[in-house]
Amino acid sequence: MTNNAVEVAALIARLTELLTSSPLDAAPAAQPEPAQKTHERVLLTPEEAAARIGVGRTTMYRLIRTKEVESVQIGRLRRIAASEVDEYAARLVAGQSNQAAA
């Protein structure tokens, strides 16, 4: 065997010895990177609000026009609070529950 082959064989033998003598869990675990906090938007576009409750854009504009869902105007933009969308959905569910109980 050449000198390089002897060195490689010795390294492989040493690596095998290290792998079999110490359990793999003893190796320090890599610390996971902290997850980026995603900020949920407070004000939604009518399209986002519609998607959140599973209705179409036209239906959402009708709900805004009839004041079933409150919205605000920022310049030329119309926005709906995410909490308002959640409250509207809760009112719908409660209304359906009351009708079913009657």
Side-chain angles (χ1 to χ4, degrees), residues 24-59:
L24 290 178
D25 346 297
Q31 294 296 324
E33 302 240 352
Q36 292 275 339
K37 246 188 180 177
T38 56
H39 297 286
E40 186 176 333
R41 292 184 43 195
V42 176
L43 295 175
L44 307 172
T45 65
E47 291 80 8
E48 292 168 335
R52 188 171 178 133
I53 58 173
V55 299
R57 176 182 178 272
T58 305
T59 301

Side-chain angles (χ1 to χ4, degrees), residues 4-67:
N4 285 340
V6 173
E7 287 177 23
V8 169
L11 286 172
I12 291 173
R14 178 69 180 135
L15 180 60
T16 304
E17 178 186 324
L18 288 172
L19 288 174
T20 56
S21 66
S22 65
L24 290 178
D25 346 297
Q31 294 296 324
E33 302 240 352
Q36 292 275 339
K37 246 188 180 177
T38 56
H39 297 286
E40 186 176 333
R41 292 184 43 195
V42 176
L43 295 175
L44 307 172
T45 65
E47 291 80 8
E48 292 168 335
R52 188 171 178 133
I53 58 173
V55 299
R57 176 182 178 272
T58 305
T59 301
M60 180 53 66
Y61 277 103
R62 180 182 52 78
L63 293 171
I64 293 168
R65 189 178 63 251
T66 61
K67 303 282 190 217

Side-chain angles (χ1 to χ4, degrees), residues 65-79:
R65 189 178 63 251
T66 61
K67 303 282 190 217
E68 292 179 69
V69 172
E70 294 294 323
S71 66
V72 296
Q73 189 135 5
I74 304 171
R76 293 177 53 184
L77 305 174
R78 176 70 53 188
R79 294 294 182 257

